[in-house]
Amino acid sequence: MSKQTFLRGTLILILAGFITRVLGFINRIVVARFIGEEGVGLYMMAVPTLVLVITITQLGLPVAISKLVAEAEAQGDQKRIKKILVVSLAITGTLSILFTPAMVFLAPFLAEELLTDDRTKWPLFAIAPVVPIVAISSVIRGYFQGKQNMRPAAASQVLEQVVRISLVALFTSAFLPYGIEYAAAGAMISAVIGELVSLIYLAAMFKVKKKMKIRRNFFKSVQNGKETFQQLMGIALPTTGSRLIGNVSWFFEPIVVANSLAIAGVATVVATKQYGGLTGYALPLLTLPSFITYSLSTSLVPAISEAMAQNKPKLVEHRLQQAIRLSIVSGGLASVVLYVFAEPLMVVMYGNSRSAIFVQVMAPFFIFQYFQGPLQAVLQALDLAKAAMINSLIGAAIKTALIFLLATRPSLGIMGVALAIVIGMVLVTLLHFATVLKVVPFTIYIRDYVKSGLTMVISGIVGYFFYENLVADSAMVIRLITAIGVTSMIYCFLLLMFNLVKKEELNRIPYIGGYLSNIIPIK
């Protein structure tokens, strides 16, 4: 099995993540065009429940599997790797059997009593079968990530999106004549089929790449896996605690939002549309760059676990410095583009700019979100998942409280929700960073952060000027693409000029990295 270096593995995931996010955006645009803000609102109200159930079913095992497999691989212990997989599959399989029917049975209650919109039960029904599929997929992904072979996970992500986008228009249009709620359910069905195809691919790759026979003595391995179970739970429970807090908060978010807006005098249908605009239109655009930080996070856990197992603290700091710098570099460009071009982006993608105000208000703060993931991955790899969980709990509690306090004010309404999300996100990131500083000998290079800030400001000003003046007579799509291209080029030029991207990192880019590092004069 081919093992990639930290940077190469990360770049493979980044490439796949970019393709996946682009396809995902096309998927969202198709859904938005077919079912509008109200349909997207129904869709997005059901998603937090799904994510919560999946989080409980996975039980934090992907991170635990990745960490333990990386350690076992460093020691050459194949028997331990088999036990890790067998016990993990037994846990996720059992939990899937329990929670999938529970989700189906509870859907009417959730829709009518908590989400205050009876129509959301149909998307909940439609998405329930995806729970066991995602649970099993996550175990196989964790195995490949622990082996530091990111290609299968990357390919499966792309395949899932290709299948989903191929079917979403078909299902939404087929169900739309029966009602907007059935069209939202159709979009969910396309997601289920996409995840199923992704699982089939991962299972096939696992069968080809694995060095052990999982089915041989499966139940005996489960019975003898008490120590492995304890090791997995020691990592998984604090990890899932952190995710569970975030997802419980997200689960309650549409409930609190719906009731808060009702107190503010907003009708149910209008509240659903507003929530759809924020979470279905604005937030996906704001979280687009997170595929980069997700890739960094995924690669960081096994890389840092391996470095710790080999007692290399300097390598741990080096990996952390790389992850934070690359997160800020990539997130900085995203924040600039989203803030400067929020309105034309929304018009081009969704046909209206009603949600652009959310993007502009939240974009400058979302750079904190872009390096929250890598910080949390470092805490998990250093066996500090409990600290990450406490940080997440504090942020979630404050966010939920602020949603109620701000959204119930008629002068703020749905904008209060946006502000509460931003405040909670920034707080968690700062808490994670403070926790990392306590345990890792970490040098803060103030000059690099100043350079990053200057890069963002200068490229944003140039991009805005170019869009407003130099291409003002062109069609909006041409103006937008040209202006974003100019902004990106200025941003990349300044990164190279300020030496914020290293020659070693450029050289690791697959296929073209060596060529770029030779023609671009950086250290």
Side-chain angles (χ1 to χ4, degrees):
M1 179 180 295
S2 61
K3 172 181 172 180
Q4 293 100 30
T5 63
F6 167 67
L7 270 178
R8 182 168 289 273
T10 300
L11 289 168
I12 288 170
L13 287 175
I14 286 174
L15 179 61
F18 174 74
I19 296 170
T20 301
R21 286 304 174 103
V22 169
L23 293 174
F25 250 93
I26 296 172
N27 175 68
R28 287 180 180 278
I29 291 168
V30 170
V31 171
R33 296 279 185 174
F34 271 90
I35 62 179
E37 285 184 348
E38 188 176 356
V40 171
L42 293 172
Y43 180 97
M44 292 306 300
M45 281 185 163
V47 168
T49 303
L50 167 69
V51 175
L52 176 60
V53 173
I54 287 176
T55 300
I56 297 171
T57 306
Q58 288 181 342
L59 210 64
L61 285 171
V63 172
I65 295 165
S66 174
K67 177 175 169 59
L68 293 180
V69 167
E71 293 172 353
E73 182 75 3
Q75 297 163 0
D77 192 346
Q78 293 299 315
K79 287 184 178 179
R80 187 184 173 204
I81 292 175
K82 178 181 176 179
K83 271 192 176 181
I84 292 166
L85 284 172
V86 167
V87 173
S88 300
L89 287 169
I91 294 169
T92 54
T94 302
L95 291 173
S96 296
I97 292 170
L98 293 174
F99 284 104
T100 305
M103 185 173 173
V104 174
F105 290 133
L106 290 173
F109 171 78
L110 289 171
E112 294 170 18
E113 302 299 327
L114 299 181
L115 297 172
T116 69
D117 195 326
D118 179 60
R119 296 172 298 172
T120 55
K121 68 184 178 185
W122 297 109
L124 287 170
F125 284 144
I127 201 66
V130 86
V131 173
I133 297 171
V134 173
I136 297 170
S137 296
S138 66
V139 173
I140 303 176
R141 285 195 179 100
Y143 166 77
F144 281 122
Q145 289 159 8
K147 289 275 190 176
Q148 297 189 54
N149 180 11
M150 305 302 172
R151 287 192 181 94
S156 69
Q157 291 172 12
V158 175
L159 183 62
E160 185 267 326
Q161 283 293 342
V162 169
V163 173
R164 181 189 291 200
I165 200 170
S166 301
L167 296 175
V168 68
L170 175 66
F171 284 123
T172 51
S173 58
F175 288 109
L176 187 58
Y178 301 98
I180 201 75
E181 62 270 35
Y182 294 99
M188 291 292 195
I189 292 171
S190 70
V192 174
I193 297 174
E195 289 288 354
L196 178 60
V197 173
S198 174
L199 172 59
I200 293 169
Y201 169 79
L202 280 172
M205 291 300 297
F206 177 72
K207 188 172 183 179
V208 171
K209 299 285 186 180
K210 66 182 173 65
K211 297 179 181 178
M212 77 289 289
K213 294 185 178 179
I214 297 296
R215 286 180 295 179
R216 180 179 293 177
N217 301 321
F218 181 91
F219 293 104
K220 186 177 180 181
S221 297
V222 172
Q223 291 171 352
N224 297 331
K226 183 178 179 181
E227 183 182 351
T228 302
F229 175 81
Q230 291 173 343
Q231 290 173 340
L232 284 166
M233 290 299 101
I235 302 166
L237 288 178
T239 301
T240 201
S242 183
R243 287 191 63 197
L244 193 60
I245 288 165
N247 289 326
V248 167
S249 171
W250 194 22
F251 168 75
F252 281 111
E253 184 179 295
I255 299 170
V256 176
V257 168
N259 288 280
S260 298
L261 292 178
I263 292 172
V266 180
T268 299
V269 173
V270 176
T272 301
K273 286 183 178 180
Q274 289 181 346
Y275 189 71
L278 174 60
T279 60
Y281 287 20
L283 282 180
L285 192 60
L286 288 161
T287 56
L288 176 62
S290 63
F291 72 86
I292 298 175
T293 53
Y294 169 79
S295 304
L296 286 165
S297 304
T298 302
S299 299
L300 265 177
V301 174
I304 289 182
S305 299
E306 185 179 58
M308 290 296 290
Q310 296 171 350
N311 195 26
K312 296 179 178 178
K314 289 186 178 180
L315 182 58
V316 172
E317 184 189 1
H318 176 65
R319 294 284 185 247
L320 179 56
Q321 291 281 11
Q322 279 184 317
I324 289 179
R325 185 162 41 80
L326 293 175
S327 297
I328 293 175
V329 163
S330 56
L333 177 59
S335 294
V336 169
V337 169
L338 292 174
Y339 180 79
V340 174
F341 305 111
E343 188 168 331
L345 276 169
M346 299 303 285
V347 171
V348 168
M349 289 193 301
Y350 300 118
N352 67 74
S353 60
R354 286 190 293 271
S355 301
I357 185 62
F358 300 131
V359 177
Q360 284 190 313
V361 169
M362 300 172 81
F365 302 98
F366 250 75
I367 195 164
F368 288 90
Q369 175 69 22
Y370 301 144
F371 66 93
Q372 183 182 122
L375 288 173
Q376 182 156 325
V378 171
L379 292 175
Q380 291 164 350
L382 296 174
D383 294 325
L384 292 169
K386 185 177 179 181
M389 179 182 71
I390 293 170
N391 295 342
S392 299
L393 177 61
I394 294 169
I398 289 175
K399 182 192 79 170
T400 305
L402 285 174
I403 286 176
F404 183 77
L405 289 173
L406 298 178
T408 51
R409 299 178 62 178
S411 59
L412 286 175
I414 194 69
M415 183 56 72
V417 180
L419 294 173
I421 290 171
V422 164
I423 293 168
M425 173 190 66
V426 172
L427 178 61
V428 172
T429 302
L430 293 176
L431 289 172
H432 281 352
F433 191 57
T435 307
V436 168
L437 290 180
K438 290 180 181 179
V439 294
V440 176
F442 186 80
T443 304
I444 300 176
Y445 298 101
I446 300 294
R447 187 176 296 177
D448 284 349
Y449 291 98
V450 173
K451 289 177 181 178
S452 298
L454 285 173
T455 300
M456 293 170 63
V457 171
I458 294 170
S459 58
I461 291 172
V462 172
Y464 177 78
F465 178 80
F466 194 87
Y467 179 81
E468 291 293 330
N469 298 283
L470 299 186
V471 289
D473 295 330
S474 306
M476 179 175 285
V477 176
I478 303 299
R479 289 174 64 194
L480 181 61
I481 293 172
T482 307
I484 290 176
V486 170
T487 305
S488 302
M489 286 190 289
I490 296 295
Y491 188 87
C492 293
F493 171 77
L494 292 172
L495 289 181
L496 297 173
M497 189 179 78
F498 289 140
N499 197 31
L500 292 171
V501 175
K502 310 297 182 187
K503 191 179 185 73
E504 168 204 359
E505 294 158 354
L506 201 60
N507 195 46
R508 294 288 185 182
I509 299 175
Y511 308 116
I512 62 172
Y515 176 74
L516 288 175
S517 64
N518 288 328
I519 64 171
I520 297 176
I522 60 175
K523 297 179 182 179

